[in-house]
Amino acid sequence: MTNGEVKVELETRPQGVVARVTLDNALKANTLNTPLMQRFIAAIEALAGRDELRVVVLTGAGGRAFISGADIDEMAELDPVSARAFITQVHRCCDVLRRLPVPVIARIEGYALGAGLEVAAACDLRIAAETAVFGMPEVRLGIPSVVEAALLPMLIGYGRTRQLLLLGQNISAAEALSWGFVERLAAPDALDAAVEEWVEALLACGPNAIRLQKKLILDWEEMPPSAAVQAGIEAFAASWETPEPKLAMRGFLEARAARKRSNDSKR
């Protein structure tokens, strides 16, 4: 497709389904245009309805970029009305990831700029190649950084957010790690192995517990501390509405007892 496509690969494992979503507009460094954003939103919404889904890995095609921003060719033709519609689509691309009931890992290789950095910010976890580059260059194009750029102060603080948004300068992967924007770096040839470690860690957790935890973290962002604590109490109680806690804790206790018997027998 000339406007790019969204590739969704589903891998069924004993613990559930792992989805790998690739934004493929590689000829234009995976920039986001309206048709591609519509396809992306539809693909993520379809995944949200899968009860067996455990984790989503999001990446860009080609290795040159995760997402290098919004399509400047399209933006150059916008007017106040169409600009509102366009940026609302960018927001929806981010929000659909935040509202997805399972964790999303951003696998970042190459450039993550503008709307691409906002999409990464909307993911739950971010792992980047050591050669990745990050930036919010919108002010250099006569527009402010908006929508999910509002998440940046929570991730990197207001001072660094101002540096990123007001100067419009790129930062390295090492800086992104030290600022707290990404949680982990890996060599380019080790990126997939590092992502797989996180996938396996998530699959080792209770599926209902992970869904409750993601929702709770999202709720916390918009709550005062007292309400956040109460929401946690409700989520804890809700977790016992399924057999998952009893089964997981029984397994833990049985394994602990087995280790103790094994250690006792060696004495």
Side-chain angles (χ1 to χ4, degrees), residues 139-205:
V139 290
R140 295 182 174 231
L141 296 171
I143 54 176
S145 296
V146 293
V147 293
E148 270 64 23
L151 300 176
L152 293 176
M154 291 185 288
L155 293 170
I156 63 175
Y158 273 99
R160 285 168 173 160
T161 296
R162 286 185 171 93
Q163 179 179 337
L164 203 61
L165 272 55
L166 294 176
L167 299 182
Q169 297 174 337
N170 293 343
I171 63 171
S172 67
E175 287 175 298
L177 178 67
S178 69
W179 286 16
F181 182 74
V182 299
E183 286 74 44
R184 183 174 177 182
L185 298 183
D189 60 358
L191 186 57
D192 288 327
V195 169
E196 178 59 22
E197 285 184 23
W198 278 2
V199 169
E200 291 179 356
L202 288 167
L203 292 176
C205 300

Side-chain angles (χ1 to χ4, degrees), residues 64 66-68 106-114 116-121 126-138 152 156 163-165 168-186 191:
R64 178 183 169 197
F66 173 69
I67 300 167
S68 65
R107 176 196 177 278
I108 303 168
E109 190 174 14
Y111 290 98
L113 304 177
L117 191 142
E118 292 167 39
V119 168
R126 287 157 291 277
I127 183 166
E130 294 168 340
T131 51
V133 177
F134 301 83
M136 295 293 285
E138 285 90 338
L152 293 176
I156 63 175
Q163 179 179 337
L164 203 61
L165 272 55
Q169 297 174 337
N170 293 343
I171 63 171
S172 67
E175 287 175 298
L177 178 67
S178 69
W179 286 16
F181 182 74
V182 299
E183 286 74 44
R184 183 174 177 182
L185 298 183
L191 186 57

Side-chain angles (χ1 to χ4, degrees), residues 14-116:
Q15 306 96 324
V17 169
V18 176
R20 300 184 186 276
V21 178
T22 304
L23 272 162
D24 188 353
N25 191 16
L27 292 178
K28 297 193 70 173
N30 299 323
T31 54
L32 297 177
N33 54 63
T34 294
L36 182 57
M37 289 191 286
Q38 291 171 340
R39 295 183 192 112
F40 179 73
I41 293 163
I44 301 301
E45 287 179 340
L47 287 174
R50 289 181 167 269
D51 291 339
E52 71 277 19
L53 186 68
R54 295 293 311 277
V55 58
V56 172
V57 177
L58 175 64
T59 194
R64 178 183 169 197
F66 173 69
I67 300 167
S68 65
D71 191 325
I72 297 176
D73 290 326
E74 183 174 355
M75 287 196 294
E77 302 300 322
L78 297 176
D79 58 37
V81 174
S82 58
R84 182 181 296 275
F86 183 87
I87 200 62
T88 298
Q89 289 290 84
V90 174
H91 161 63
R92 289 190 63 204
C93 286
C94 298
D95 194 59
V96 75
L97 296 171
R98 281 164 56 77
R99 305 297 167 185
L100 194 69
V102 302
V104 182
I105 299 172
R107 176 196 177 278
I108 303 168
E109 190 174 14
Y111 290 98
L113 304 177

